[in-house]
């Protein structure tokens, strides 16, 4: 379980705990989180009380990054120390405990939407990593009961491609992975709650393949990657990896190496033009040895 | 350090804290302090393994000559270039001469 504590930011609010199923784990919050409404846990889910951690400023290693929060890209600072990892951006801050079991946030009331995105974005991704599930920058679709994921930096076209292929979508921007399986029930913060692609999917689906998006090309082409380059691609496209301490980096590297050995990782090149969807779909189906018209 | 500073007697070692993982004969290296990742091909992976055993660059060169088809000059040039890059990115460090006996 991961417990999210936001009431310190709104001490006058009455406690209203909720439970959700996210990336294979129960995530509890002491306030309703509309972005997580599609992932509400069954009413029988346990809401065991967790001591409220103190939100504190870490004094250790400092890292800088960017994240899409509350409508735009913002700089995020992370500080790691014995008490956990402190994340802050534009007046909102939260702490992820060293074991990834709690996230505590603090901000002024008017900054709550930004705080919630900070918590459900980089903080939740870090907490999941500490719990053994790593989040990849990936769009994804479901093909024959398995996940096909597209890895790419922001703006590479992974969301657009997932929409063009005609297969059911599983992720828009972030896909948690644990072992050789994906956990698509995860909030895609760039989409409205009613448009969450993972909400109606099983908690875990096997992975069919990863396709790393190459720069625009004149023709559609799929080529395999070496195990080394496959692992490096998975490492490169992991969310919040800058926040990992050396121990977690070591576990992450081993995870990516094992994943690259178990799941095919390819490079996919295609022209960014109208009508390319069916050609890419045909190429992926052929690569996977599947009928092109498999729903 | 310039390539000319590396001689067969030079001993380099993995810098403590650098992480690495071998995949089908190739290597992924990670400097956790800098958060940077590097990839080595088959020959580089073999050189990395030999360096990890405390061998001098000369001994590494001799071993690589028996395992890869290339002229001695080419192998030394490639090895020195690799060592230089590994030093540049702080993935290895030069062992001071007084520390040699600690490696046996």
């Amino acid at each position: 379980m991961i417990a999210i504590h936001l009431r310190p930011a709104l001490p006058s609010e009455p406690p209203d705990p909720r439970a959700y199923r996210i990336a294979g784990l129960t995530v509890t919050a002491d306030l309703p989180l509309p972005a997580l409404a599609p992932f509400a846990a069954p009413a029988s889910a346990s809401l065991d009380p967790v001591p409220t951690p103190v939100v504190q400023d870490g004094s250790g290693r400092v890292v800088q990054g960017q994240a899409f929060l509350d409508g735009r890209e913002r700089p995020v600072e992370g500080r790691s120390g014995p008490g956990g990892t402190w994340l802050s951006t534009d007046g909102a801050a939260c702490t992820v405990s060293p074991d990834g079991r709690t996230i505590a946030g603090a901000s002024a009331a008017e900054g709550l939407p930004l705080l919630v995105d900070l918590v459900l974005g980089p903080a939740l991704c870090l907490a999941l990593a500490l719990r053994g599930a790593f989040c990849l920058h990936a769009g994804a679709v479901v093909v024959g009961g398995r996940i096909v994921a597209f890895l790419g930096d922001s703006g590479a076209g992974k969301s657009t491609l997932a929409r063009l292929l005609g297969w059911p979508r599983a992720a828009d921007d972030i896909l948690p992975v644990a072992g050789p399986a994906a956990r698509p029930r995860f909030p895609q913060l760039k989409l409205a709650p009613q448009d969450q692609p993972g909400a109606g999917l099983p908690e875990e689906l096997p992975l069919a393949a990863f396709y790393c998006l190459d720069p625009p090309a004149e023709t559609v082409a799929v080529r395999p990657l070496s195990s080394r380059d496959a692992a490096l691609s998975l490492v490169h496209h992991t969310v919040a990896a800058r926040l990992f301490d050396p121990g977690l980096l070591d576990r992450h590297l081993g995870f990516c190496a094992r994943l690259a050995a178990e799941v095919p990782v390819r490079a996919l090149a295609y022209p960014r033009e109208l009508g390319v969807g069916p050609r890419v779909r045909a190429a992926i189906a052929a690569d996977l040895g599947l009928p092109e018209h498999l729903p | 350090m310039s390539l000319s500073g590396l001689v067969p007697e030079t001993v380099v070692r993995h810098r403590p804290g650098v992480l690495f993982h071998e995949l089908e004969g190739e290597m992924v290296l990670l400097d956790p302090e800098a958060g940077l990742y590097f990839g080595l091909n088959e020959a580089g992976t073999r050189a990395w393994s030999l360096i990890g055993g405390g061998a001098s660059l000369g001994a590494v060169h001799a071993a690589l000559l028996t395992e890869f088809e290339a002229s001695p000059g080419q192998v030394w040039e490639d090895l020195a270039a690799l060592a230089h890059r590994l030093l540049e990115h702080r993935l290895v460090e030069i062992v001071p001469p007084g520390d040699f006996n600690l490696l046996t």
Side-chain angles (χ1 to χ4, degrees):
Chain A
M1 188 177 80
I2 297 175
I4 295 174
H5 300 270
L6 295 175
R7 283 193 63 240
L10 297 169
S12 61
E13 290 288 324
D16 186 8
R18 302 296 174 94
Y20 310 92
R21 287 293 295 179
I22 305 293
L25 295 174
T26 296
V27 175
T28 63
D30 52 8
L31 293 173
L33 297 174
L36 298 187
F39 307 99
S44 59
S46 170
L47 291 175
D48 295 336
V50 176
T52 304
V54 175
V55 178
Q56 58 187 346
D57 186 4
S59 57
R61 184 174 63 101
V62 179
V63 294
Q64 306 282 348
Q66 293 274 331
F68 187 88
L69 304 170
D70 195 23
R72 63 180 174 89
E73 288 286 328
R74 297 173 189 264
V76 177
E77 181 176 282
R79 293 170 179 259
S80 298
T85 300
W86 162 275
L87 302 175
S88 63
T89 181
D90 292 344
C94 66
T95 300
V96 180
S97 63
D99 59 6
R101 292 186 180 275
T102 63
I103 304 173
S107 81
E110 62 270 19
L112 191 59
L114 178 58
L115 173 61
V116 169
D117 274 12
L118 182 67
V119 167
L120 299 184
L124 184 56
C125 290
L126 175 60
L128 286 171
L130 290 165
R131 306 294 298 278
F134 293 94
C135 294
L136 301 177
H137 276 296
V141 294
V142 184
V143 182
R146 297 188 297 167
I147 295 287
V148 172
F150 305 102
L151 302 176
D153 295 326
S154 295
K158 50 186 183 294
S159 303
T160 302
L161 180 63
R163 286 197 298 271
L164 290 177
L165 293 175
W167 283 309
R169 285 199 300 160
D172 176 72
D173 187 48
I174 296 182
L175 181 70
V177 174
R183 296 181 177 179
R185 290 177 59 90
F186 188 86
Q188 310 294 313
L189 296 184
K190 294 180 182 178
L191 301 179
Q194 63 269 24
D195 296 330
Q196 294 295 313
L201 293 177
E203 292 212 348
E204 198 167 272
L205 286 170
L207 283 158
F210 292 101
Y211 293 90
C212 302
L213 301 191
D214 272 348
E218 292 187 359
T219 58
V220 179
V222 175
R223 59 182 173 87
L225 295 180
S226 68
S227 295
R228 181 199 71 185
D229 289 346
L232 282 171
S233 291
L234 295 169
V235 160
H236 176 72
H237 290 108
T238 298
V239 180
R242 290 187 182 188
L243 301 174
F244 296 177
D245 64 20
L248 185 54
L249 282 171
D250 193 18
R251 296 198 297 276
H252 175 233
L253 182 56
F255 169 86
C256 291
R258 288 188 299 275
L259 191 59
E262 295 176 18
V263 180
V265 183
R266 319 282 200 222
L268 171 64
Y270 61 97
R272 287 0 182 227
E273 61 189 24
L274 291 176
V276 73
R279 284 182 282 154
V280 176
R281 177 179 172 125
I284 292 173
D287 183 55
L288 296 176
L290 298 173
E292 181 181 339
H293 299 293
L294 186 69
Chain B
M1 167 173 289
S2 66
L3 289 178
S4 62
L6 298 174
V7 296
E9 294 75 27
T10 302
V11 179
V12 299
R13 64 186 170 198
H14 300 166
R15 192 168 64 81
V18 172
L19 307 173
F20 53 93
H21 203 105
E22 186 169 343
L23 297 103
E24 297 183 355
E26 296 186 314
M27 189 78 74
V28 174
L29 309 177
L30 163 63
D31 176 1
E33 290 179 13
L36 297 177
Y37 294 85
F38 304 86
L40 297 178
N41 61 16
E42 186 181 347
T45 297
R46 184 62 181 129
W48 175 266
S49 299
L50 291 166
I51 288 170
S56 66
L57 289 183
V60 173
H61 175 247
L64 292 177
L65 276 178
T66 68
E67 300 174 21
F68 296 93
E69 290 186 10
S71 69
Q74 185 62 56
V75 172
W76 174 256
E77 189 176 315
D78 291 345
L79 174 60
L82 173 64
H84 178 71
R85 285 196 68 205
L86 293 173
L87 284 164
E88 198 173 43
H89 291 292
R90 301 183 63 242
L91 296 168
V92 299
E93 56 192 17
I94 292 180
V95 178
D99 287 355
F100 284 179
N101 59 340
L102 297 178
L103 298 174
T104 58

